[in-house]
């Protein structure tokens, strides 16, 4: 079962990142199951063995699959930067994660959540679709790594692709009491007016959820949501 939350309302992704240490990346922790250990062993299998790795994240609704996936992706995408021999010349100092490629890959999660996640009775950010995400890495040749004194070859994130399937299309036109349709509709209504003008000035500027039949049963700001803050 995927890890979900701890420390009250603090998401595990936040709590875990605060205590993440360099030692997590290259050693077996002996804690089962452990999301950082799983991600680290996949990284080592790719870097040392050159073997493709697969991580399956599954569980019941509300178990923490969405947050677990974000932890795994963030860890795999950024683990290389924690290594002492990561050259300063390879770092993009203007980039949040030290690499524009890593930034693009990780920020894509926000887009998928906006168009494919919704509030349900059990989960405020429930994924209403399945996805297969492939992270593509540039793995250093073992002989070159040994020549440069690296026991573990470098393994840099070079790109990603994602296949989505089984989107719950019925949620666009019909939701149960206490639930919402996809986040993007509420985010769009809370977007700045200049953005609304570019998209659909007559229908969006000055509009609220009450102006749309499919959205009128729920608010853009309810249940702890602030769709204006979530606008991309």
């Amino acid at each position: 079962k995927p890890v979900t939350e701890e420390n009250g309302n603090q998401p595990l992704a936040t709590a875990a990142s605060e205590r993440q240490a360099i030692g997590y990346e290259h050693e077996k922790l002996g804690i089962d199951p452990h999301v950082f250990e799983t991600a680290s062993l996949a990284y080592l299998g790719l870097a040392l063995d050159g073997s493709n790795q697969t991580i399956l994240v599954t569980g019941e609704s509300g178990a923490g699959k969405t947050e677990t996936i974000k932890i795994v992706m963030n860890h795999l995408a950024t683990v290389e930067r924690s290594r002492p021999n990561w050259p300063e010349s390879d770092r993009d100092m203007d980039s949040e994660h030290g690499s524009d490629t890593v930034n693009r890959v990780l920020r894509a999660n926000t887009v998928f959540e906006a168009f494919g996640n919704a509030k349900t009775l059990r989960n405020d950010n429930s994924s209403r679709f399945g996805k297969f995400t492939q992270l593509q890495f540039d793995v250093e040749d073992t002989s070159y790594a040994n020549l440069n004194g690296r026991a573990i070859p470098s393994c840099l994130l070079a790109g990603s692709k994602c296949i989505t399937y089984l989107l719950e299309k019925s949620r666009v036109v019909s939701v149960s009491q206490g639930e919402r349709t996809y986040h993007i509709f509420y985010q769009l209504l809370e977007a700045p007016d200049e953005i609304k003008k570019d998209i659909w000035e007559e229908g969006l500027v000055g509009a609220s959820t009450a102006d749309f039949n499919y959205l009128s049963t729920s608010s853009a700001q309810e249940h702890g949501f602030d769709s204006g803050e979530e606008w991309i």
Side-chain angles (χ1 to χ4, degrees), residues 3 5 30 58 71 74 91 96 111 144 168 203 213 230:
V3 286
E5 294 186 355
T58 185
I71 293 172
N74 187 287
R91 310 185 188 199
E96 177 183 359
V111 179
Y144 186 78
E168 186 186 21
N213 289 334
E230 294 173 355

Side-chain angles (χ1 to χ4, degrees), residues 99-232:
S99 164
D100 184 58
T101 300
V102 172
N103 281 346
R104 289 170 180 264
V105 169
L106 296 181
R107 288 176 180 174
N109 276 323
T110 306
V111 179
F112 283 116
E113 287 187 18
F115 284 90
N117 286 29
K119 180 197 180 318
T120 66
L121 293 177
R122 300 187 63 181
N123 187 352
D124 285 350
N125 190 34
S126 178
S127 297
R128 311 312 298 167
F129 69 106
K131 66 178 177 180
F132 172 79
T133 303
Q134 182 185 75
L135 300 181
Q136 301 161 336
F137 289 86
D138 182 8
V139 182
E140 182 182 31
D141 183 81
T142 304
S143 59
Y144 186 78
N146 292 334
L147 185 64
N148 287 274
R150 288 190 288 271
I152 301 175
S154 66
C155 193
L156 298 172
L157 184 67
S160 173
K161 70 177 182 179
C162 185
I163 300 173
T164 63
Y165 52 92
L166 297 177
L167 178 68
E168 186 186 21
K169 297 179 182 178
S170 62
R171 183 168 290 272
V172 175
V173 298
S174 177
V175 295
S176 301
Q177 185 66 33
E179 298 192 353
R180 305 201 318 175
T181 185
Y182 295 106
H183 298 325
I184 185 62
F185 296 111
Y186 306 98
Q187 293 170 358
L188 183 57
L189 287 174
E190 293 297 306
D193 283 340
E194 55 267 25
I195 299 294
K196 295 180 181 179
K197 289 179 181 179
D198 291 339
I199 298 174
W200 184 25
E201 182 174 0
E202 296 81 5
L204 291 178
V205 175
S208 68
T209 56
D211 298 309
F212 298 89
N213 289 334
Y214 293 156
L215 304 178
S216 59
T217 59
S218 57
S219 168
Q221 294 182 323
E222 64 174 11
H223 307 295
F225 286 100
D226 186 342
S227 298
E229 290 293 327
E230 294 173 355
W231 173 256
I232 303 170

